[in-house]
Amino acid sequence: MNVSDLRGILAYIPQFREKVFVIAIDGAIVACENFSNIVLDLAVLRSVSIKVVLVHGIAHQLKQLSILLNTQLSNTTGIGVTDQKTYELSLMASSNVTFQILEALSTSDLRACATNAIVAHPFGIVGGIDYQLTGRIKKIDVSFIEYLLQKNIIPVIGPIGYDGEGKSYRINSDSVAQFVAESLQAEKLIYLTPYPGILNGEGKLIRELDVSSALEFHKTFSKDMAEPIRSKLEHAIHACKNGVNRVHILDGRMDEALLSEIFSNSGVGTMIYANQYESIRQARRKDIGSILKLIQEPIEADEILPRKGTDIARDLPFYYVFERDNQIVGCIAVYPYPKTSQAELACLSVAKNYENQGIGRKLIRFAEKLSSEQGFKQLFLLSTRAYLYFMQKGGFKEADPSILPLERKLKYEKNGRRSKVLYKSLNG
């Protein structure tokens, strides 16, 4: 790890300290070679006072047992019918995986406890089908889990629920993780899977989706998705709609994936987030340093005019920043010219590792909406190198410098940059 990596991690620690992370580990990940590294990552999380709750699956182990014992399973995920034999093997698999996790945690001196915190009832008869020993979650024993967390004990929760009358039921682990995260009002729910995350129609990893986009994606592509990853997307959406800020789906076979996802801006998997995850707000004096850092490279590339901290401080009421995960990753300025009913879009910049994620377009739309609400009829900008972006992505058109307000035209002629003048009519 280099110094910049460490600084990046340190920036997140105040934000996550004493917050609850629910980490759902597929049975296949517990069985993979990288699991010992995941345990070391969990030790790092605990060392910076992040409260960890582990939920594990058993589908992989259940399949292995069925092969070993030459037994046919009624289902492996806890979603379909669970017959008596599948139920018995589920108890065996869950016990084995729980023990394996407890054993691994002890090697990093992490105290943990297997729990019976899931209160469940029979799933019942649905559509004429008796689901037998499949369960549905009634509630989570929150006080029990919180007590363990207060004592610095990691709760380990398997996909088995208990009804309080000496009966237990097989439950889907994705559902368990979702319910636990919602009940504890967790900061994050993280699914460690044998998949890289959510892939688009071209097979490329989708880095992030807000809840509405995730719903639309599910509606369009759910039939083409593998059942395990579809299940995680569905539970991620549900969790975000019920108070969990962020849900991450990532490849648990990848070394350092967990830490990279949590402590970096871009991550390595897919993040589903609630709407409060990102926002555009007016810049504050304390943001000036971040704005200067954002615009340094575009200034050096002669894409925008040089600006000093004093320049930004003077014009601060006209500056806005784009925040994601409490990090400033974009900025824009909107200068008003009331006499001509025009506004100028300026100083648009997005952090390098956030490019091609639509942030620039969101800032442009924000500038359009703001200008329209303030009664301006036209938005214009000056560009030397990024004019094609504004024309293709923002719908701007090229114009003659004569459209500029007089005071702006004088500055344009004085600086000699010969920027292209672009404009866009506003509907207001």
Side-chain angles (χ1 to χ4, degrees):
M1 176 181 293
N2 58 42
V3 173
S4 60
D5 291 336
L6 181 58
R7 286 174 179 162
I9 289 175
L10 291 174
Y12 285 92
I13 290 174
Q15 177 185 346
F16 294 148
R17 185 178 287 120
E18 298 303 322
K19 296 294 177 64
V20 176
F21 287 11
V22 175
I23 300 177
I25 309 177
D26 277 8
I29 299 304
V30 177
C32 79
E33 292 181 0
N34 193 50
F35 181 62
S36 58
N37 294 323
I38 292 173
V39 172
L40 294 176
D41 293 346
L42 296 176
V44 172
L45 299 185
R46 288 297 303 118
S47 72
V48 295
S49 300
I50 292 172
K51 298 177 179 179
V52 173
V53 178
L54 294 183
V55 175
H56 70 77
I58 59 171
H60 174 83
Q61 288 76 10
L62 199 52
K63 292 174 185 176
Q64 295 297 313
L65 280 173
S66 71
I67 294 171
L68 181 65
L69 300 175
N70 194 27
T71 302
Q72 188 172 354
L73 300 171
S74 57
N75 88 86
T76 60
T77 62
I79 295 175
V81 175
T82 302
D83 61 20
Q84 182 65 34
K85 193 61 182 178
T86 301
Y87 165 77
E88 291 172 0
L89 292 185
S90 297
L91 294 181
M92 187 184 304
S94 183
S95 177
N96 290 343
V97 174
T98 297
F99 175 79
Q100 187 176 348
I101 291 173
L102 292 175
E103 189 176 54
L105 293 173
S106 69
T107 63
S108 292
D109 200 29
L110 295 172
R111 303 280 72 81
C113 176
T115 74
N116 58 351
I118 309 301
V119 180
H121 283 175
F123 195 82
I125 301 171
V126 179
I129 299 173
D130 185 352
Y131 281 73
Q132 300 181 44
L133 292 163
T134 299
R136 57 185 174 89
I137 299 172
K138 180 184 179 185
K139 69 174 183 177
I140 308 296
D141 191 340
V142 173
S143 59
F144 177 28
I145 296 175
E146 288 181 339
Y147 174 81
L148 294 175
L149 292 174
Q150 289 168 6
K151 297 296 182 180
N152 293 320
I153 298 171
I154 297 176
V156 179
I157 304 173
I160 306 295
Y162 307 86
D163 69 357
E165 297 181 1
K167 295 181 181 179
S168 56
Y169 303 92
R170 167 77 162 109
I171 302 174
N172 174 259
S173 63
D174 294 342
S175 178
V176 172
Q178 173 218 310
F179 269 83
V180 170
E182 290 177 9
S183 300
L184 294 174
Q185 297 182 316
E187 178 70 17
K188 289 180 181 289
L189 167 57
I190 302 170
Y191 287 107
L192 295 178
T193 78
Y195 299 86
I198 306 297
L199 305 181
N200 64 16
E202 299 175 352
K204 295 180 179 179
L205 178 66
I206 300 174
R207 294 291 184 181
E208 55 194 44
L209 291 165
D210 61 28
V211 174
S212 59
S213 299
L215 277 166
E216 191 63 32
F217 182 85
H218 178 271
K219 188 186 302 182
T220 306
F221 294 103
S222 62
K223 293 181 180 179
D224 301 323
M225 300 171 68
E227 192 281 328
I229 205 71
R230 180 173 63 248
S231 169
K232 287 166 176 60
L233 176 60
E234 291 168 353
H235 288 93
I237 292 169
H238 197 288
C240 283
K241 291 171 71 175
N242 287 278
V244 180
N245 288 332
R246 302 163 190 83
V247 181
H248 304 258
I249 304 170
L250 58 146
D251 193 340
R253 301 167 301 178
M254 183 189 304
D255 189 22
E256 297 184 352
L258 183 58
L259 297 184
S260 296
E261 182 71 15
I262 294 171
F263 294 121
S264 71
N265 289 334
S266 54
V268 296
T270 299
M271 179 173 65
I272 316 297
Y273 60 89
N275 292 332
Q276 65 266 32
Y277 167 67
E278 64 179 32
S279 64
I280 300 174
R281 61 167 175 79
Q282 191 165 37
R284 305 170 187 139
R285 186 165 291 275
K286 67 178 183 179
D287 302 327
I288 292 175
S290 297
I291 294 172
L292 287 170
K293 186 177 179 181
L294 273 174
I295 66 177
Q296 181 180 352
E297 190 170 326
I299 288 174
E300 292 173 353
D302 196 31
E303 293 176 356
I304 62 177
L305 280 170
R307 288 167 172 83
K308 298 179 181 178
T310 52
D311 299 324
I312 296 172
R314 181 194 63 219
D315 296 339
L316 199 59
F318 308 125
Y319 276 82
Y320 299 85
V321 294
F322 188 104
E323 278 191 323
R324 178 168 288 176
D325 199 17
N326 293 321
Q327 303 284 324
I328 293 175
V329 299
C331 67
I332 197 170
V334 183
Y335 293 100
Y337 294 87
K339 292 181 180 179
T340 59
S341 294
Q342 293 171 290
E344 179 184 4
L345 185 160
C347 202
L348 173 62
S349 184
V350 176
K352 195 74 174 176
N353 55 342
Y354 280 87
E355 292 178 349
N356 303 313
Q357 295 183 24
I359 294 175
R361 276 172 284 180
K362 289 180 181 179
L363 285 167
I364 292 171
R365 287 197 296 269
F366 171 81
E368 292 173 5
K369 184 173 183 291
L370 177 69
S371 301
S372 181
E373 289 174 349
Q374 292 177 348
F376 296 105
K377 302 302 182 183
Q378 186 185 83
L379 186 65
F380 72 88
L381 63 91
L382 306 178
S383 177
T384 55
R385 305 188 68 181
Y387 51 86
L388 285 178
Y389 171 82
F390 289 106
M391 296 172 74
Q392 294 172 357
K393 303 296 185 181
F396 284 81
K397 298 178 181 179
E398 189 173 356
D400 187 86
S402 61
I403 74 159
L404 297 175
L406 179 59
E407 58 187 292
R408 188 65 184 91
K409 184 179 178 183
L410 292 174
K411 291 180 182 178
Y412 171 84
E413 293 173 346
K414 185 178 180 179
N415 66 39
R417 299 179 79 228
R418 301 179 63 187
S419 305
K420 286 187 180 293
V421 178
L422 306 180
Y423 79 97
K424 187 173 188 178
S425 299
L426 301 173
N427 297 319

